Amino acid sequence: MKHSVFSTCGALSFIVCAAVAQTPQYTLETSAADSVPQTTIVPVQQALVQVVEHTTVYEEPAAGMDRAQRRAYKARVYAAKIDSLVQSRDYMFFPNSMQQLPGGMIRSIYADYFFFGVFVDHVEVHLPTERGITQYVEMLNFDSMSVRDYRAARVQWGWSVSFNISDGNTLYHADFAVSTATGETVLTLLTPDVTMRYVGWLWNKRVNDPRYRRMD
């Protein structure tokens, strides 16, 4: 794992790497963990395939709707986009803030240089992280082809995604909580030294893609 150490008094700088993503296949299972119907998505081992990016959202004409109906309709369309994004297993998480747990200082992240990319066959990690109890930040900067125990469950408020990854002999555990109402995404990342909480959002484009924009 490569690290670069710098003071948190300054702004964080940004560079982005390119990656090739691929489309997964899934088996679906029904879970009764709570009163809301859930779908647990478990990836099936498969040969690598070329990604064809698409999102299908069936939109209804808004004519004749009152304000409450239009708001409800837009909320359904937005939730469907989040569902499609998470189920694609081809997305990137961009954090707005970071915090060491428990009870660490909340630090703002002001640009899109930092990310956590989740793809069919690998994960890309480029995130700042606390360095113990000091006021310094160090960088997690690695790609991992070892993604294990990937689980994505549809719950009442959105999606719960968890999996394990490794960088050489170093193990990490990632938990995503994705709201289908607001798009807010919380990543809890367990490292050998600290547990970090990042708040941000998901998207399926890189910052240098001309179509890059948030889904708000």
Side-chain angles (χ1 to χ4, degrees), residues 112-131:
D112 302 318
Y113 176 64
F114 299 107
F115 64 88
F116 190 115
V118 179
F119 308 106
V120 176
D121 61 342
H122 73 287
V123 165
E124 297 179 17
V125 181
H126 187 65
L127 291 175
T129 181
E130 295 283 357
R131 193 181 201 189

Side-chain angles (χ1 to χ4, degrees), residues 9-197:
C9 298
L12 302 177
S13 302
F14 309 70
I15 298 174
V16 168
C17 313
V20 177
Q22 298 179 318
T23 303
Q25 293 181 348
Y26 301 99
T27 58
L28 300 181
E29 301 174 354
T30 300
S31 172
D34 55 33
S35 59
V36 178
Q38 304 174 2
T39 300
T40 300
I41 302 173
V42 181
V44 177
Q45 292 293 332
Q46 60 172 358
L48 300 182
V49 295
Q50 182 65 37
V51 168
V52 178
E53 181 183 307
H54 66 279
T55 299
T56 302
V57 177
Y58 297 96
E59 299 193 5
E60 306 167 4
M65 294 183 182
D66 59 28
R67 290 183 179 179
Q69 290 172 328
R70 283 196 296 271
R71 286 195 296 267
Y73 163 66
K74 290 180 179 179
R76 291 196 304 271
V77 171
Y78 185 81
K81 290 179 180 179
I82 296 292
D83 289 345
S84 178
L85 183 59
V86 174
Q87 291 179 69
S88 73
R89 193 172 165 180
D90 178 23
Y91 53 84
M92 301 182 73
F93 168 75
F94 296 95
N96 296 323
S97 67
M98 59 180 280
Q99 179 185 21
Q100 182 180 342
L101 298 179
M105 178 190 302
I106 297 176
R107 304 175 185 271
S108 295
I109 299 174
Y110 294 103
D112 302 318
Y113 176 64
F114 299 107
F115 64 88
F116 190 115
V118 179
F119 308 106
V120 176
D121 61 342
H122 73 287
V123 165
E124 297 179 17
V125 181
H126 187 65
L127 291 175
T129 181
E130 295 283 357
R131 193 181 201 189
I133 60 174
T134 70
Q135 295 186 3
Y136 287 93
V137 172
E138 66 180 11
M139 184 71 66
L140 292 178
N141 185 22
F142 66 90
D143 297 350
S144 176
M145 304 298 293
S146 177
V147 183
R148 301 178 181 176
D149 305 319
Y150 186 95
R151 298 289 185 272
R154 186 66 161 88
V155 293
Q156 183 175 6
W157 41 263
W159 287 88
S160 176
V161 180
S162 65
F163 51 90
N164 299 311
I165 56 176
S166 61
D167 176 31
N169 295 325
T170 307
L171 301 178
Y172 301 86
H173 179 78
D175 283 300
F176 283 98
V178 187
S179 169
T180 50
T182 66
E184 182 180 75
T185 300
V186 177
L187 166 62
T188 303
L189 183 64
L190 281 68
T191 80
D193 302 315
V194 297
T195 298
M196 298 296 301
R197 180 180 186 266

